[in-house]
Amino acid sequence: MRVEGKEEPSSSNLSTLNLQPPASLALPAPLAQETSRLARENNLYLGTSSWKYEGWLGQIYDAQRYLTRGKISTRRFETECLEEYADTFPTVCVDAGYYRFPSDKFLAGLCTQVPDHFRLSYKVTDEITVKKFPQLDRFGHRAGSENENFLKAKLFIDAFLGPLSPHREKTGVLIFEFSVFYPTHFERLRDFIAALDAFLGQLPTNWQYGVEVRNAKLLRPEYFDVLHAHNVAHVFNSWTKMPPVEEQIAMPGAFTADFFAARFLLRPGRAYQQAVDRFQPYSETKEKNPEARAAIKALIKRGTAAPTPRPSYVFVNNRLEGNSPNTIAAALDLPVDRDVPSR
């Protein structure tokens, strides 16, 4: 399975990674206790965006589990580490869902590795959320052309919800991530809001949905009102050109559903590739983000003070500070492995 292509372990680098014994794993026990308690008692699920990071070996993952003939097996790590991840966190955001519709085999492979109380959240396939295909090789002859399947409810129901249905009890929030819209996509942003309204109105209501946008100008009453009308969460997101999450959660009407969801991805103002170059291989915190940590704490405080009727979710990406398990531990006031001073 390929998750956000650039970060998959390869046989050339896995063999040189941390082979510390299980006793050296610094975070899992206290972190697992606290994330489990929040999920159990407060319906609040904390986890990461993706999970197959070789930089977490010796921290979250016991390298000894993936040894074959004295070396770490790439295949074994990639296919089995979700089971060990689930020992520490009660949820994960499956970013791979964005790149293709999920197959029965793919979903079964995930769900068999996690316990019944675990929740797999998914980014919805870009076949539904891209208005015009970017000029990227993976889109082939469709690059640069309009997407005829943009916001096609029937396709989403058949090709995404259909395969997920047998795994409903282990499914968390389904996130519709919309990239930045330009005038070539929508002359007026309110046209997107109207299209979104029509789309959401066609969906089955017994799933949890979230909408994540990358146009700051969309964060206005008309957008929040549409989400509220359909009981769909605005996904608070820390991203290059979005307001900090602290500002988003303070906006009137921003909590639009009977649960909330947030994804802490990048420091505002930083480009994706800059974060990749700075933070790989994601084995330690390289830069504290006090504002993001404060926002995570604020969401935890909100979720514990008034638990939501349906599960709420907070996901943290390695590209925020360098190591997402550390970021979550710090937000929970737990000891942090290999942290750095604030900047």
Side-chain angles (χ1 to χ4, degrees), residues 152-208:
K152 287 292 179 68
K154 186 178 187 304
L155 179 62
F156 169 70
I157 293 169
D158 292 344
F160 205 94
L161 293 185
L164 269 179
S165 294
H167 311 289
R168 181 181 184 80
E169 295 304 314
K170 292 183 178 180
T171 300
V173 60
L174 307 180
I175 299 172
F176 299 97
E177 179 195 298
F178 296 96
S179 298
V180 175
F181 291 122
Y182 296 100
T184 54
H185 302 136
F186 288 100
E187 184 177 345
R188 299 165 301 185
L189 287 177
R190 68 172 178 263
D191 295 334
F192 164 68
I193 295 174
L196 180 65
D197 186 16
F199 171 74
L200 296 176
Q202 299 176 65
L203 303 187
T205 59
N206 54 349
W207 297 81
Q208 286 185 274

Side-chain angles (χ1 to χ4, degrees), residues 267-268 270 274-275 277-279 284-293 320-322 338-343:
R267 176 188 289 274
R270 173 172 284 151
Q274 290 175 337
D277 294 341
R278 177 168 176 76
F279 296 138
E284 61 186 343
T285 302
K286 292 189 176 179
E287 174 187 299
K288 283 186 181 179
N289 188 325
E291 296 79 12
R293 291 185 180 191
L320 182 71
E321 295 188 329
R338 292 168 285 177
D339 209 355
V340 297
S342 298
R343 295 190 180 185

Side-chain angles (χ1 to χ4, degrees), residues 29-343:
L31 192 54
Q33 292 169 6
E34 189 60 12
T35 58
S36 177
R37 184 190 67 79
L38 287 170
R40 183 178 63 253
E41 298 180 7
N42 301 106
N43 222 11
L44 178 59
Y45 287 71
L46 305 184
T48 67
S49 290
S50 273
W51 65 95
K52 297 195 302 182
Y53 297 108
E54 63 269 27
W56 297 358
L57 285 161
Q59 181 196 33
I60 296 298
Y61 299 131
D62 172 14
Q64 303 294 321
R65 293 177 60 150
Y66 310 104
L67 292 181
T68 299
R69 297 176 182 175
K71 295 183 179 180
I72 295 178
S73 165
T74 302
R75 176 181 293 275
R76 191 170 180 183
F77 178 76
E78 291 182 352
T79 58
E80 297 178 11
C81 67
L82 180 59
E83 180 179 357
E84 189 174 14
Y85 171 95
D87 291 338
T88 301
F89 295 105
T91 188
V92 73
C93 185
V94 183
D95 294 341
Y98 187 73
Y99 300 100
R100 62 187 62 84
F101 287 112
S103 67
D104 294 336
K105 180 180 179 181
F106 170 72
L107 294 172
L110 299 181
C111 291
T112 55
Q113 292 190 64
V114 298
D116 290 342
H117 64 266
F118 193 92
R119 296 293 176 266
L120 291 149
S121 293
Y122 298 86
K123 286 172 57 175
V124 171
T125 313
D126 61 357
E127 187 76 19
I128 302 297
T129 60
V130 169
K131 184 70 166 60
K132 186 176 182 179
F133 293 110
Q135 294 285 355
L136 298 176
D137 291 344
R138 72 185 182 90
F139 293 114
H141 71 279
R142 304 170 80 189
S145 65
E146 292 289 323
N147 178 14
E148 67 277 10
N149 292 320
F150 179 69
L151 292 182
K152 287 292 179 68
K154 186 178 187 304
L155 179 62
F156 169 70
I157 293 169
D158 292 344
F160 205 94
L161 293 185
L164 269 179
S165 294
H167 311 289
R168 181 181 184 80
E169 295 304 314
K170 292 183 178 180
T171 300
V173 60
L174 307 180
I175 299 172
F176 299 97
E177 179 195 298
F178 296 96
S179 298
V180 175
F181 291 122
Y182 296 100
T184 54
H185 302 136
F186 288 100
E187 184 177 345
R188 299 165 301 185
L189 287 177
R190 68 172 178 263
D191 295 334
F192 164 68
I193 295 174
L196 180 65
D197 186 16
F199 171 74
L200 296 176
Q202 299 176 65
L203 303 187
T205 59
N206 54 349
W207 297 81
Q208 286 185 274
Y209 305 116
V211 170
E212 181 176 319
V213 295
R214 300 286 168 78
N215 289 78
K217 290 184 177 179
L218 277 169
L219 304 182
R220 59 199 199 197
E222 308 97 281
Y223 164 74
F224 292 139
D225 289 347
V226 162
L227 298 187
H228 179 72
H230 298 287
N231 199 22
V232 171
H234 163 63
V235 179
F236 302 106
N237 64 100
S238 184
W239 189 253
T240 310
K241 294 184 179 180
M242 289 295 287
V245 172
E246 277 189 308
E247 293 183 18
Q248 293 182 45
I249 63 180
M251 293 178 178
F255 289 87
T256 57
D258 60 358
F259 70 99
F260 61 80
R263 295 208 307 148
F264 291 82
L265 305 168
L266 298 173
R267 176 188 289 274
R270 173 172 284 151
Y272 174 89
Q273 191 59 46
Q274 290 175 337
V276 172
D277 294 341
R278 177 168 176 76
F279 296 138
Q280 279 186 324
Y282 311 120
S283 59
E284 61 186 343
T285 302
K286 292 189 176 179
E287 174 187 299
K288 283 186 181 179
N289 188 325
E291 296 79 12
R293 291 185 180 191
I296 298 171
K297 286 187 175 185
L299 289 171
I300 293 172
K301 182 177 180 180
R302 182 187 182 96
T304 54
T308 51
R310 291 192 290 173
S312 290
Y313 299 90
V314 176
F315 299 107
V316 180
N317 196 294
N318 281 329
R319 286 174 285 277
L320 182 71
E321 295 188 329
N323 181 276
S324 50
N326 275 355
T327 304
I328 295 172
L332 293 169
D333 295 321
L334 297 173
V336 173
D337 181 45
R338 292 168 285 177
D339 209 355
V340 297
S342 298
R343 295 190 180 185

